[in-house]
Structure formats: structure tokens, C-alpha cells
Amino acid sequence: MEFLAFDWVTNPEIWLSLVTLSALEIVLGIDNLVFIAILTGRLPAHQRALGRKVGLSLALITRLMLLATLAWIVGLTAPLFSVAGKGFSWRDIILIAGGLFLLYKATVEIHEMVEKDEEEPDSPHGAAGVTFQGVVLQIAVIDIIFSLDSVITAVGMADQLWVMVAAVVFAMIIMIIASNPLANFVQAHPTVKMLALAFLLLIGVILIADGLGLHVPKGYIYFALAFSVAVETLNHWVRARRRRLRGA
């Protein structure tokens, strides 16, 4: 019995599924991390790090709660009603609502960036009318959307509950470690922030399309993001080199 209890230690399939699922959870968490970084950037400077930690903690709690109710998760994919021959489930409704929410938030942020004076620095006191509770509430709402997608993926890739839980926890630890450097870099570089907002717009459209039954492989989305980041990195190096040459 003891050998059977610890049989997973020497089972390569379990370790492969754990590593693969952990990596996938980290990739799927990028959009959530970007959203949290942008949203907490509107808080006063002394609250931003705390806001990111609270937001990612809520994401972890949401994922673990969803994993604890696997039967309910499976039931979310059952059709509730049909429109023009297309069945809609709770999952579809949640994805569409989340996509619309992302489109709205990204559009508002882009509008404020466009209207803002280029020479005007970001206020350390945060944006007017933005509260810590309000930001956390918005993060909690979007966490449900991203967590649902993440957990459904985990359920499809692993058979053991503990593997899913371990992968989600490990991925969240990595995201918490990366949250502050990523957020600081995004806030310090307006062009990167605009790229991140454009990525959120794209994710919003993909969520709506997925809710409508038009599935787009996430690999295409993240390849486009990686390519855009690579181009922006080259631009950043070119601008830095020109500044050094002018200084010399």
C-alpha cells in the first residue's frame, strides 16, 4: 500500500503532466498579470505592490475554489439555451461578459493615454477617483474569467487533482515574483504599456469569439505577443543607443 501511495514519485507521466501544466498555467496567466499590472498602476505608488499581491492572491483562491468543484466546472459547459442554432452555456456567457469588460477597460486606458500630455509624469498619488477597493473588485471580476479558462485547461490535461493544484500554485508563485518587475517596466515605458493594452484588446476579442463558438488557438495569440515584444525590445535598444551617442 505504501508503494502504491508513493508510486507517483517514479511515474514519468505524472511528472511530465505537472511540468507541462505548470508551464501552460504560467503562459495562460500572462494576460491576467498584464491586466493587474495596468489596473494597479492607477493606484497611489505605495499601494501598487500590495494591490498586485492581493489581486494575484485572489486569482489563486479563485482557481483553487474552482478546482475543488470539478463537477460544477464540467456542468458550466452544458448548453442553457440556443440562439440561431448556437447553444450557449454558462462558460460561454462568462467568457463573452469578460471579453466585453476587457474591451471596455483597455479602451478607457488607451483613451486616457492618448489624451494625456506627453510631458506630464504619472502621479504618485494615483488616478483621480480610483480607490484600492474598486481596483481589487475589478481584479476579482476578471480573475473569475481568466481562472475559468485556466481551470478548464487544467482539467483537460491532468487526471489527478493534486497535479492540477500543484501546477496552479507553482504558476501563481512565479507570477507573484514577476509581478513587480513587470508592472514597473510597463509603467516606465509608455510604448510597452500601449502594447500591453493592445494585447488586452486582442484577448477581449478572443474571449468573445470563444464564447460565440469561434475558437482561436491561444498559441497564435501568444506568438503575436512575443513577436511584438521582440520588436519593441529592438526599438528600446535603438533609442537607448541613440541617447548614448547624443550624450557622447
Side-chain angles (χ1 to χ4, degrees), residues 81-173:
F81 59 89
S82 298
V83 176
K86 167 66 175 74
F88 288 89
S89 64
W90 275 115
R91 173 185 177 274
D92 298 329
I93 295 173
I94 293 173
L95 289 179
I96 293 172
L100 291 173
F101 180 71
L102 269 185
L103 289 179
Y104 167 74
K105 289 301 299 181
T107 301
V108 169
E109 290 288 340
I110 290 174
H111 178 265
E112 291 191 2
M113 283 192 67
V114 171
E115 293 297 323
K116 180 181 175 181
D117 188 348
E118 185 178 359
E119 303 299 325
E120 180 186 351
D122 289 334
S123 172
H125 304 294
V130 176
T131 64
F132 185 84
Q133 293 81 358
V135 168
V136 169
L137 179 60
Q138 293 181 65
I139 290 174
V141 170
I142 208 63
D143 276 345
I144 295 174
I145 313 301
F146 289 134
S147 296
L148 182 64
D149 191 25
S150 173
V151 168
I152 289 176
T153 300
V155 171
M157 288 192 61
D159 297 325
Q160 293 84 1
L161 178 61
W162 75 265
V163 173
M164 304 178 206
V165 171
V168 167
V169 171
F170 177 74
M172 199 57 60
I173 291 174

Side-chain angles (χ1 to χ4, degrees), residues 8-56:
W8 60 270
V9 176
T10 57
N11 190 332
E13 292 184 1
I14 290 182
W15 284 104
L16 180 61
S17 64
L18 177 60
V19 172
T20 304
L21 185 55
S22 297
L24 186 60
E25 289 292 324
I26 293 173
V27 172
L28 290 175
I30 291 175
D31 41 17
N32 196 4
L33 192 57
V34 169
F35 179 81
I36 291 175
I38 291 175
L39 206 57
T40 53
R42 298 173 59 80
L43 290 170
H46 67 280
Q47 292 183 338
R48 292 171 187 170
L50 177 61
R52 288 189 286 270
K53 291 179 180 178
V54 171
L56 290 171

